[in-house]
Amino acid sequence: MAVLPIVITGEPVLHQRAAEVGTIDDALRRLVDDMLDTMAAAPGVGLAAPQVGVDARVFVYDYTDDDDVRWHGVAINPELLVSPPPLGEPDDVDDSEGCLSVPGERFPLRRSDRAVLRATDLEGVEYELEATGWVARIFQHEFDHLEGVLYVDRLAHPHSKAAAKAVRKRSWGVPGQSWLPGRDDLEG
Ligand code: ZN
């Protein structure tokens, strides 16, 4: 069990399609344990393996929704089906999204309201979850990570410009940068 450094936008592993997981072995179980620790320490509601520098199609999530239902799990080699995204401008508050690999920044992004996640858990059991609202957003965000897509890549004007400016200002967008939850405070 360990908190891992989280890589920042510009690190190549974040910007390429992640590799399928072959077998569920001790190394994968250890990775998932560490990802759960890292997500809790950050803190975050989701974390994908590329964010800790690992090229593998795995993400973890932990979110308690408005009905007090806890969505907590591991998605290995996931598939995601989404409803068409709503039209129109994102809401500055309700659609405000963030990412541990673009730490301390938030920008509004429209996401589909419904998503169906199909994945394998650590026991090798396939499962399917239908989510709406913020959970659907988390699944889309984390699944995107496995496709090499960050939420800032999806932003519409003028938010895309603001995000690019923020990344430049912090000298991100180049390889080799990371932060360690619990040690570095990048929220400011
Ligand atoms: Zn993210």
Side-chain angles (χ1 to χ4, degrees):
M1 302 283 274
V3 174
L4 303 172
I6 296 175
V7 298
I8 290 174
T9 180
E11 188 67 23
V13 71
L14 288 174
H15 306 285
Q16 65 193 31
R17 188 176 191 275
E20 300 281 333
V21 171
T23 52
I24 297 170
D25 55 13
D26 283 348
L28 183 71
R29 282 185 277 271
R30 203 156 44 238
L31 170 67
V32 168
D33 267 355
D34 291 348
M35 285 172 63
L36 290 169
D37 285 352
T38 305
M39 175 173 63
V45 294
L47 185 72
Q51 294 185 274
V52 292
V54 177
D55 177 19
R57 300 185 75 76
V58 184
F59 69 73
V60 295
Y61 51 91
D62 189 358
Y63 178 75
T64 301
D65 69 21
D66 293 343
D67 299 321
D68 265 346
V69 176
R70 189 180 180 201
W71 300 71
H72 178 247
V74 180
I76 300 167
N77 293 335
E79 291 174 53
L80 196 69
L81 305 169
V82 294
S83 62
L87 300 173
E89 297 291 314
D91 185 276
D92 280 351
V93 176
D94 291 345
D95 293 320
S96 174
E97 197 165 314
C99 178
L100 297 174
S101 292
V102 191
E105 303 287 344
R106 295 192 79 82
F107 297 97
L109 173 65
R110 281 280 200 169
R111 292 281 196 185
S112 299
D113 288 329
R114 307 180 76 85
V116 176
L117 173 70
R118 287 184 191 144
T120 301
D121 69 16
L122 264 188
E123 278 70 51
V125 178
E126 285 181 36
Y127 68 92
E128 183 175 303
L129 287 175
E130 190 173 348
T132 58
W134 204 263
V135 183
R137 179 184 295 269
I138 292 166
F139 289 164
Q140 290 168 76
H141 181 114
E142 300 310 326
F143 185 81
D144 269 356
H145 273 300
L146 306 184
E147 297 296 301
V149 175
L150 300 185
Y151 87 102
V152 289
D153 300 330
R154 289 190 178 276
L155 298 175
H157 182 80
H159 308 295
S160 54
K161 204 171 170 183
K165 193 175 168 188
V167 166
R168 266 199 314 277
K169 196 175 163 196
R170 297 202 191 214
S171 303
W172 293 337
V174 293
Q177 298 185 80
S178 66
W179 67 284
L180 188 64
R183 189 194 65 188
D184 303 321
D185 177 14
L186 291 185
E187 291 304 308

